[in-house]
Amino acid sequence: MGGAPSTPRNTGGGGGGDDVSVAEYLITTFVGEKSFPLASDFWNKLLELPLSSRWPSDRVHQACELFAQSNGYTRHLAKLLIHLSWCLQELLQGSSDDDQASSTYKKAVNATYIASVFLKHLIENGKSDSLAELHLSLDDSEPVPHGFVMDHDIQNFVMHSVLSFIGSTEVSPNSYVLHQELLNFMIVAMSTQLLSGPSPGPRDANPFIDAAMSQEKSLVCLAVRRLLLNYISRTPPNAKSYLYSDGDSPGILERVGTAAATLVLLPLNYLVNNSGDGSKHPLAECSLHVLLILTNYHKPVMSDESLTDKSDDSATSESVSKGHVFSSGNTFSKALANARDVEFDRSDVEGNAYPGPHVRIPFASLFDTLGMCLADEGAVLLLYSLLQGNSDFKEYVLVRTDLDTMLMPILETLYNASKRTSSNQIYMMLIVLLILSQDSSFNSSIHKMILPSVPWYKEHLLHQTSLGSLMVIILIRTVQHNLSKLRDVYLQTTCLATLANMAPHAHHLSAYASQRLVSLFYMLSRKYNKLSELTGEKQQSIKIILAGEGDGVSEDLAAELQIFTDFLRLVLDILNAILTYALPRNPEIVYAIMHRQEVFQPFKNHPRFHELVENIYTVLDFFNSRMDSQRSDREWSVQKVLQFIINNCRSWRGEGMKMFTQLHFSYEQESHPEEFFIPYVWQLAFSRCGFSFNPDAINLFPVPHQVETEESRGEEVEEGKEKKVQELIEQRIVLDP
């Protein structure tokens, strides 16, 4: 067979027989043992093919296997990437000849298709840590065209061309397919990250993504801008642009829809295989995940000291990384962090212009798009990245008067968290709420926005409820669900920290929200009392058990007791903040405390809580004494009691209240957030872009091998995720001084 697969037969409906024979001959020659120079006419013939023949997946695999054997000698991958770059450069330069431009566009699409298929196979089946199998260089004896100088690595050459085209070319019906496939190619090229562990090491081989990071700032800004605009515009696939065909041969959509996989369209299978909203806007989805992969990339670099002695081969990458490694920076992350609003730039007013090029996008459109898409994890992660890193966008969000656009999808997703939401998504949404709650204007404005109804909340009819009250209700509900099911300290702390930030600014907290807050205290107090009893019993029993036995259990109980002590104190701090700073504006919280005042009695003289309970009893004494003085004169109904509280709130002066330091929690990333975010963004790319990869080659995150269906895969992944998220979530909630 001469190093090439036998000629596949036409499996039906694929154009003329001559076209099929030529196509199969050229493809089999491409994967064969004969090397063709860059200037050979072979490349034009290969890239100008209509590619209307269909190959079953086993034939595609056979071709990839043969290509892996021959590529080291032929260097056809490197040459194909060079031709792809030339096509993109020619398209960027423009041509007055429409036929020439159409031919170049077609060649660029074909080059991208073919490169994606064979590059993916080489990456996922690579045997060396350095990915030498890619052979991203030309042989020294390779004849090159006149005037062509390869002054950069091939990966730099192709990534520069790809990013230039993406960043500089508008998405139109004529360019949609090429934009889509270049993004798909980027995901394939960057999938080298899947081969490494969750902690990036200085020896990890990621040639294409490293090449992307090395591009000049202006090009990076153009690319980030285009990816964001693609996500905002959410352009659906254009049917005419997909019906790319010659004569009567079937178009792309037809060929993708057939049972037999088309050779060059193998990476495109998500167009028909992916379910849900992602398939409606594949360009937007792919743009988002390429952006997330790029902005969350982290490249550890070894210092000179660590490079001086390489004799100890036994040293692990983990040991090398300590004290000898620093980050090389991420130009894409910086570009996103410095993005400015196209309508208004604060630097224009303040005169503190950001030096150099920067991304300018319509914040209003981005805000609206995120509001529509926050049920999707990728959208939540993008929102987190912007709020955490981009001060201009964060300020823009905080001054919006329609915060319900962004908050309602988050709150609804948290409400339904027990049904289908991943642990990671819950974390990211809660962190977003914590970041927003750090701003006092946010905490005030959410209580002024009244929601006519909340139809998705089933436990209680919420009518004319403020957005702030709803947020309190959902956060408390999340805490209670976590107490009974997940028992996750990080999640609990994040919810309570957000509530603590909101507390001093509470305004007309609803009756239901007030009741839930007091019920939360009661629920935590019961758990605390139970742990106290168990701890006391354990301490007694240890005295009669052999030395050393039971100590571990006792320590665990003591640690859990301390956790619930902190939780109880935090809830008391929340109640204190409302009563101290906002009592006249919140008669319902006074009513809820009076109605359930017995739940605070066990803690009135408790050494760990009495100082926090004192203020609650100061409030109770104030209202109880006034009620007692009028009790004989009237019968008390709920409405009369509430009206009595409202009337007496006017005379409340806070006398006798102890002033505690107002709590303020902020969110900070740990020093190595990439250990959480890099595996997370790739898992999202898998789930949303329909990207498949050899599971045996993946080291970035655990993959359930035996799963066949989407539902069973979700269940097994979640089971592993519950443990993983505790280890990997890189969050720190800080109590500000």
Side-chain angles (χ1 to χ4, degrees):
M1 294 192 299
S6 57
T7 304
R9 295 180 177 84
N10 184 6
T11 56
D18 290 342
D19 285 344
V20 173
S21 299
V22 171
E24 295 182 353
Y25 168 75
L26 289 171
I27 292 292
T28 54
T29 302
F30 171 72
V31 303
E33 296 175 351
K34 183 177 180 180
S35 176
F36 289 88
L38 270 173
S40 170
D41 194 45
F42 165 79
W43 296 103
N44 281 329
K45 292 179 179 178
L46 176 68
L47 299 182
E48 287 174 351
L49 282 174
L51 293 171
S52 55
S53 58
R54 306 173 188 139
W55 283 18
S57 58
D58 61 327
R59 300 297 302 281
V60 175
H61 181 72
Q62 182 189 10
C64 288
E65 290 287 333
L66 289 168
F67 183 77
Q69 297 171 22
S70 64
N71 182 53
Y73 169 70
T74 65
R75 304 297 170 101
H76 278 181
L77 175 62
K79 295 171 189 176
L80 179 62
L81 294 177
I82 291 172
H83 276 278
L84 169 59
S85 301
W86 286 344
C87 291
L88 295 175
Q89 290 173 359
E90 188 175 335
L91 289 171
L92 286 170
Q93 291 166 4
S95 173
S96 57
D97 187 337
D98 290 343
D99 290 339
Q100 177 64 30
S102 177
S103 174
T104 305
Y105 174 82
K106 190 177 296 186
K107 287 163 64 177
V109 170
N110 290 344
T112 310
Y113 286 159
I114 299 171
S116 295
V117 173
F118 291 103
L119 177 60
K120 177 175 172 290
H121 179 84
L122 292 176
I123 291 173
E124 65 186 347
N125 293 283
K127 300 295 189 292
S128 67
D129 293 338
S130 62
L131 289 173
E133 297 87 350
L134 301 184
H135 297 290
L136 296 174
S137 62
L138 298 178
D139 193 271
D140 293 337
S141 61
E142 176 73 31
V144 296
H146 178 70
F148 173 67
V149 178
M150 178 58 69
D151 55 352
H152 295 291
D153 295 333
I154 288 174
Q155 58 266 32
N156 275 288
F157 187 55
V158 71
M159 290 305 284
H160 178 85
S161 300
V162 169
L163 291 171
S164 295
F165 184 88
I166 290 172
S168 305
T169 309
E170 295 287 334
V171 177
S172 67
N174 292 329
S175 66
Y176 186 101
V177 173
L178 183 52
H179 270 278
Q180 177 71 68
E181 291 322 301
L182 288 173
L183 292 172
N184 190 66
F185 167 79
M186 286 191 68
I187 291 183
V188 169
M190 296 187 295
S191 67
T192 51
Q193 282 192 290
L194 296 169
L195 308 180
S196 305
S199 299
R203 296 190 178 93
D204 294 346
N206 296 296
F208 290 97
I209 196 167
D210 285 339
M213 295 296 149
S214 69
Q215 303 304 314
E216 59 269 23
K217 187 183 295 184
S218 58
L219 177 55
V220 169
C221 287
L222 283 174
V224 169
R225 175 180 174 273
R226 173 56 52 201
L227 293 172
L228 285 170
L229 290 178
N230 287 350
Y231 182 66
I232 291 169
S233 63
R234 309 191 73 70
T235 307
N238 185 297
K240 291 182 179 178
S241 71
Y242 272 90
L243 294 175
Y244 160 62
S245 60
D246 282 351
D248 296 327
S249 58
I252 288 174
L253 281 182
E254 293 178 66
R255 286 188 273 123
V256 173
T258 60
T262 304
L263 165 65
V264 292
L265 293 179
L266 193 60
L268 271 179
N269 58 12
Y270 61 86
L271 283 176
V272 291
N273 290 344
N274 190 30
S275 59
D277 293 338
S279 59
K280 297 176 184 176
H281 306 286
L283 186 70
E285 293 290 342
C286 209
S287 296
L288 172 62
H289 290 97
V290 167
L291 180 64
L292 291 175
I293 291 168
L294 287 167
T295 53
N296 285 284
Y297 180 64
H298 177 82
K299 176 69 172 179
V301 179
M302 286 190 291
S303 64
D304 292 339
E305 180 185 354
S306 63
L307 293 172
T308 54
D309 182 12
K310 299 182 181 178
S311 59
D312 185 6
D313 295 333
S314 64
T316 64
S317 59
E318 182 180 355
S319 63
V320 168
S321 67
K322 294 181 179 177
H324 297 291
V325 170
F326 59 93
S327 172
S328 62
N330 184 315
T331 53
F332 287 85
S333 178
K334 291 174 183 175
L336 183 64
N338 290 299
R340 299 291 179 259
D341 189 4
V342 72
E343 299 293 335
F344 173 79
D345 192 338
R346 186 178 59 186
S347 63
D348 296 340
V349 178
E350 299 177 355
N352 300 319
Y354 171 69
H358 57 273
V359 178
R360 299 200 70 158
I361 53 171
F363 278 3
S365 300
L366 180 57
F367 179 92
D368 292 340
T369 301
L370 287 169
M372 289 189 301
C373 302
L374 282 174
D376 174 64
E377 290 185 72
V380 178
L381 189 49
L382 176 60
L383 175 60
Y384 163 82
S385 300
L386 289 164
L387 292 177
Q388 172 67 12
N390 190 310
S391 58
D392 272 32
F393 185 77
K394 181 180 177 182
E395 287 188 21
Y396 175 83
V397 170
L398 292 171
V399 299
R400 288 280 296 224
T401 57
D402 57 341
L403 282 167
D404 56 319
T405 301
M406 188 167 284
L407 290 181
M408 289 299 281
I410 292 176
L411 297 177
E412 183 177 0
T413 303
L414 289 173
Y415 175 79
N416 292 310
S418 60
K419 299 177 183 177
R420 60 180 181 272
T421 312
S422 75
S423 300
N424 289 356
Q425 187 175 7
I426 296 173
Y427 272 113
M428 299 315 302
M429 287 185 162
L430 290 175
I431 292 171
V432 163
L433 295 180
L434 176 60
I435 291 172
L436 292 172
S437 74
Q438 293 168 202
D439 184 84
S440 58
S441 64
F442 167 84
N443 294 323
S444 298
S445 61
I446 57 175
H447 287 285
K448 297 173 184 175
M449 183 172 294
I450 304 301
L451 306 169
S453 63
V454 186
W456 45 262
Y457 194 92
K458 304 301 182 184
E459 285 87 343
H460 188 86
L461 178 63
L462 299 179
H463 181 65
Q464 295 295 316
T465 300
S466 71
L467 183 59
S469 291
L470 178 62
M471 189 166 160
V472 169
I473 291 166
I474 296 300
L475 286 170
I476 291 172
R477 188 178 185 276
T478 304
V479 170
Q480 291 174 328
H481 171 71
N482 179 60
L483 279 172
S484 60
K485 300 287 177 65
L486 302 178
R487 301 169 63 83
D488 189 321
V489 174
Y490 282 119
L491 187 149
Q492 203 89 325
T493 306
T494 306
C495 291
L496 294 177
T498 305
L499 287 168
N501 287 346
M502 295 170 62
H505 310 279
H507 189 89
H508 290 299
L509 205 61
S510 71
Y512 185 62
S514 302
Q515 293 164 18
R516 300 316 300 156
L517 189 55
V518 175
S519 295
L520 174 62
F521 175 82
Y522 179 60
M523 184 178 184
L524 288 169
S525 68
R526 289 181 60 191
K527 182 68 175 176
Y528 172 84
N529 289 331
K530 184 177 180 180
L531 285 169
S532 295
E533 293 173 8
L534 287 172
T535 304
E537 292 171 4
K538 197 66 190 174
Q539 288 174 344
Q540 291 297 321
S541 63
I542 286 174
K543 295 178 181 179
I544 57 173
I545 296 177
L546 292 175
E549 290 185 16
D551 288 353
V553 177
S554 179
E555 289 174 7
D556 290 344
L557 281 174
E560 191 171 2
L561 179 63
Q562 183 57 52
I563 288 170
F564 276 88
T565 301
D566 294 339
F567 287 162
L568 260 185
R569 289 184 61 88
L570 197 45
V571 174
L572 287 172
D573 276 318
I574 292 166
L575 291 169
N576 263 282
I578 298 174
L579 297 177
T580 304
Y581 299 102
L583 185 147
R585 304 192 303 269
N586 293 282
E588 292 287 4
I589 196 72
V590 176
Y591 181 92
I593 289 172
M594 291 181 69
H595 182 66
R596 300 289 303 278
Q597 54 189 287
E598 75 280 355
V599 303
F600 301 100
Q601 182 64 39
F603 301 92
K604 188 174 183 179
N605 298 311
H606 197 292
R608 293 183 179 180
F609 304 103
H610 69 89
E611 80 281 6
L612 292 170
V613 178
E614 276 185 40
N615 279 346
I616 293 175
Y617 274 93
T618 299
V619 171
L620 286 171
D621 291 343
F622 176 86
F623 286 95
N624 282 336
S625 61
R626 281 159 177 74
M627 182 172 283
D628 289 341
S629 66
Q630 301 181 29
R631 193 178 295 277
S632 59
D633 302 335
R634 56 180 8 170
E635 293 182 2
W636 294 97
S637 65
V638 172
Q639 288 303 320
K640 287 181 179 179
V641 172
L642 185 59
Q643 188 58 51
F644 166 82
I645 292 171
I646 293 171
N647 293 338
N648 280 272
C649 277
R650 296 168 188 156
S651 59
W652 168 260
R653 298 291 179 269
E655 296 174 0
M657 296 286 282
K658 284 188 176 180
M659 298 298 291
F660 293 100
T661 303
Q662 194 174 125
L663 296 182
H664 190 268
F665 293 89
S666 62
Y667 167 78
E668 291 183 8
Q669 277 189 349
E670 286 287 359
S671 56
H672 297 288
E674 67 278 357
E675 294 181 6
F676 169 73
F677 287 108
I678 291 177
Y680 185 28
V681 297
W682 275 105
Q683 286 172 315
L684 294 184
F686 267 65
S687 63
R688 298 299 296 171
C689 291
F691 180 71
S692 60
F693 202 84
N694 176 13
D696 293 324
I698 297 176
N699 295 308
L700 187 61
F701 50 81
V703 180
H705 290 244
Q706 68 278 20
V707 213
E708 295 296 335
T709 66
E710 197 67 37
E711 292 178 1
S712 59
R713 175 162 60 247
E715 291 172 5
E716 299 208 13
V717 168
E718 282 307 311
E719 191 176 332
K721 239 188 222 178
E722 297 291 335
K723 270 177 79 177
K724 197 70 180 168
V725 92
Q726 290 250 9
E727 302 167 5
L728 295 182
I729 184 69
E730 295 296 336
Q731 73 168 22
R732 180 170 58 201
I733 299 169
V734 180
L735 177 58
D736 295 338

